[in-house]
Amino acid sequence: MKFRSAVLFAAGAALMATMLGAGQANATRPSSLTLSPNTVVAGGTVTADIYCLRPSGAGELAATLTADGLAAPIPLRVVGDGGTGGIGVALRGSGPVGTVPGRYAATYDCWGWIVRAEFTVSN
């Protein structure tokens, strides 16, 4: 009976350690780029939400998002740390898409980690 109690205690301790470790791991998330809406009427506005995980010694990020399909580069502003306690940077900006219908891709360099999102310009 004592052996069974010891095994149950060890299993419980391992489960708790796993759950606590998972909570800490969720504090970080991979860099990402999201464009919304995904489909935009020609000449309409798209919003870019970017999250970059900050490596140690990181410098400045690009101040604009450029891509084919945009009428002009989208100016970006820092809007926080993405809920990661300072280990990341969240950026946001809005701007017009072009007038040529099609499917386009935007990329952004998060300190060497390239994030990508697609959007469609429709008639």
Side-chain angles (χ1 to χ4, degrees):
M1 195 66 163
K2 287 185 180 186
F3 177 73
R4 182 182 225 182
S5 295
V7 169
L8 287 175
F9 178 78
L15 178 62
M16 185 63 104
T18 300
M19 290 174 64
L20 288 174
Q24 292 171 347
N26 288 336
T28 62
R29 59 185 173 129
S31 297
S32 62
L33 166 59
T34 305
L35 297 172
S36 60
N38 289 334
T39 301
V40 187
V41 166
T45 300
V46 68
T47 298
D49 285 301
I50 302 170
Y51 171 74
C52 294
L53 185 61
R54 182 192 325 258
S56 62
E60 294 293 317
L61 288 165
T64 59
L65 175 68
T66 58
D68 289 340
L70 295 176
I74 295 176
L76 301 170
R77 67 187 185 289
V78 175
V79 293
D81 65 10
T84 58
I87 61 172
V89 174
L91 306 165
R92 174 174 266 203
S94 296
V97 298
T99 57
V100 179
R103 187 162 183 86
Y104 299 95
T107 59
Y108 189 79
D109 184 348
C110 288
W111 295 298
W113 182 267
I114 306 300
V115 293
R116 181 178 190 273
E118 295 183 350
F119 63 103
T120 302
V121 175
S122 65
N123 292 341

